[in-house]
Amino acid sequence: GKINVPQSTPDSFVRHKPAYILQLLTAAVLIYGCRFDKLWNYFIVFFAFRGVICMKSLKFASCLLSAFLLTSTLPSGLKSHADFSVSLPDIVSSQVQVPLSELPVNENTVHSSSVETAVAEMRSYLSTHTTSFSVSIPRSSYSNANDAPKQMLAKAFAETSKGCEGDYIRYSLGSYECKYSISSSYIQLNYSFSYYTTPQEEEQITSKVNSILDSLDLNGKSEYEKIKSIYFYISSHVHYAQNTNNVHVFSAYGALFDNSAVCQGYSQLFYRMMKDAGISCRIISGQSNNQNHTWNIARIGSLYYLLDVTWDSCLGTNSRFYFLKGSKDFDNFKADYKHIPVYQYEVIFDDFNSC
């Protein structure tokens, strides 16, 4: 007669135990490496579907546990990209030519016989977050005097060896205004600025950055080791801000003292720490996920590599999907988060192509 073989026996779990353990290990691997993308949805469905089909308590428990581990350990608010809706503000600017008599008197005034000297003074004022100053340069400095306000500012933003200058200054600005007057012998420029931080807060940033760099013990380390130490320090200590009620989220200050920032704060802090550690670095502005975004490039040897500490921080402490990538593989992780450099500010800055 027909032999009835039970579909399962008390020792069936023992025989299939490696398969269940493998499921749990797979879940753990996914938790560690794929916490940011929609891929996890498919695995949850897979595990749950297996449990429903099997209808066996041990299998079903294993499947549910796998699904639970995947969902419960995902960072709060990062189960989709919908939360990343905070966009960077454009620098609000105003440039108006007025008669000399209408220019306000400013105690911070530079009368210079050369553009270079005037730019050095401007850079000094900007790095200390001075809110207003005046610059006077020879009329012969520019064939079109109306170009002077933007071009002088661009020169003041030029890269130096100091972490508190260059791109750091540029991304410290919330807005600026320039009223200027042109005569036959000189051009007078009166600038007014708003910043995301105060001079006192900048002093706190300098102190804390120095303290962190000392704690990372970077002396004698290679360029790669320095970049890695700073990158993963930031990605593990800073969280993505969900709103912009506090303007500090746009600055290194928010990243350092509130442990919360949007991409501008992440990239500004990375830039500052890189430069202070002796690594050539730039902040790149553009778009990612159809919104304003910033990221960085850093140099190892003679080559610049792309980095996005913001996205890697959101992916998880040890994520390196955007760590030291080249132009061809920077956006391999998620196509719709492609990084597109866009010059959204009124002054055109140097372009960079990484290897």
Side-chain angles (χ1 to χ4, degrees):
K2 183 178 180 181
I3 300 175
N4 292 317
V5 179
Q7 292 182 357
S8 62
T9 60
D11 67 343
S12 62
F13 178 71
V14 176
R15 294 201 308 269
H16 295 91
K17 186 175 181 179
Y20 305 135
I21 294 175
L22 181 60
Q23 289 181 29
L24 296 177
L25 289 176
T26 302
V29 170
L30 290 170
I31 293 166
Y32 183 80
C34 297
R35 290 185 287 184
F36 190 62
D37 200 61
K38 295 179 180 177
L39 182 63
W40 64 273
N41 285 305
Y42 298 104
F43 282 95
I44 292 172
V45 172
F46 168 74
F47 287 125
F49 183 71
R50 271 193 54 122
V52 172
I53 294 300
C54 296
M55 294 300 293
K56 299 300 175 185
S57 59
L58 288 174
K59 290 185 178 182
F60 191 52
S62 172
C63 297
L64 287 180
L65 179 59
S66 299
F68 172 76
L69 287 172
L70 280 171
T71 55
S72 63
T73 57
L74 285 169
S76 177
L78 298 187
K79 295 180 181 178
S80 75
H81 295 307
D83 292 325
F84 299 107
S85 58
V86 178
S87 292
L88 296 181
D90 291 330
I91 292 180
V92 179
S93 63
S94 173
Q95 179 176 310
V96 181
Q97 182 177 355
V98 298
L100 180 61
S101 59
E102 294 184 15
L103 286 180
V105 177
N106 197 307
E107 62 179 8
N108 302 313
T109 301
V110 178
H111 297 284
S112 178
S113 59
S114 70
V115 168
E116 290 72 20
T117 303
V119 165
E121 292 294 332
M122 289 176 62
R123 187 177 295 122
S124 177
Y125 283 133
L126 287 165
S127 64
T128 56
H129 285 204
T130 303
T131 56
S132 64
F133 55 81
S134 296
V135 177
S136 179
I137 57 175
R139 171 64 183 83
S140 59
S141 302
Y142 290 94
S143 57
N144 184 352
N146 292 311
D147 292 337
K150 292 181 182 179
Q151 293 302 319
M152 290 293 288
L153 196 58
K155 291 179 184 294
F157 288 157
E159 286 299 290
T160 70
S161 60
K162 297 182 180 180
C164 62
E165 297 178 348
D167 287 348
Y168 186 87
I169 297 176
R170 177 158 62 104
Y171 286 90
S172 297
L173 292 180
S175 65
Y176 78 90
E177 177 186 64
C178 182
K179 292 183 178 180
Y180 66 101
S181 179
I182 304 170
S183 71
S184 59
S185 56
Y186 61 87
I187 306 169
Q188 184 164 331
L189 309 166
N190 279 40
Y191 288 101
S192 298
F193 298 92
S194 70
Y195 303 90
Y196 293 118
T197 53
T198 66
Q200 293 73 27
E201 288 169 340
E202 284 301 307
E203 291 177 1
Q204 294 176 46
I205 290 173
T206 298
S207 178
K208 187 156 186 177
V209 165
N210 290 339
S211 176
I212 295 171
L213 292 177
D214 288 342
S215 70
L216 294 177
D217 191 22
L218 302 178
N219 291 333
K221 290 187 176 180
S222 66
E223 292 175 323
Y224 171 80
E225 291 171 327
K226 290 180 179 180
I227 295 171
K228 180 181 177 182
S229 295
I230 293 171
Y231 189 88
F232 288 109
Y233 175 87
I234 294 174
S235 70
S236 63
H237 284 80
V238 184
H239 307 289
Y240 194 89
Q242 298 300 312
N243 63 68
T244 58
N245 292 337
N246 186 341
V247 295
H248 283 157
V249 300
F250 297 108
S251 70
Y253 186 91
L256 282 173
F257 292 96
D258 301 327
N259 301 112
S260 178
V262 293
C263 55
Q264 183 165 320
Y266 275 96
S267 56
Q268 190 191 39
L269 177 59
F270 183 75
Y271 173 91
R272 176 66 182 267
M273 295 180 71
M274 284 284 99
K275 297 282 284 192
D276 286 357
I279 303 294
S280 179
C281 181
R282 295 299 305 268
I283 300 175
I284 307 299
S285 63
Q287 297 225 330
S288 180
N289 189 33
N290 297 315
Q291 66 185 37
N292 293 344
H293 190 55
T294 61
W295 56 98
N296 298 91
I297 57 173
R299 188 174 67 193
I300 297 179
S302 61
L303 303 175
Y304 281 93
Y305 294 86
L306 292 150
L307 312 96
D308 190 334
V309 67
T310 305
W311 289 155
D312 267 337
S313 172
C314 296
L315 285 162
T317 301
N318 297 303
S319 171
R320 53 176 67 207
F321 290 105
Y322 298 101
F323 177 65
L324 290 177
K325 299 294 185 178
S327 298
K328 293 183 179 180
D329 62 355
F330 190 37
D331 293 304
N332 281 359
F333 177 67
K334 189 167 178 61
D336 59 350
Y337 269 60
K338 181 178 177 62
H339 294 72
I340 305 171
V342 176
Y343 295 111
Q344 52 189 252
Y345 302 107
E346 295 187 355
V347 180
I348 301 300
F349 297 90
D350 293 337
D351 193 7
F352 286 83
N353 293 313
S354 74
C355 62

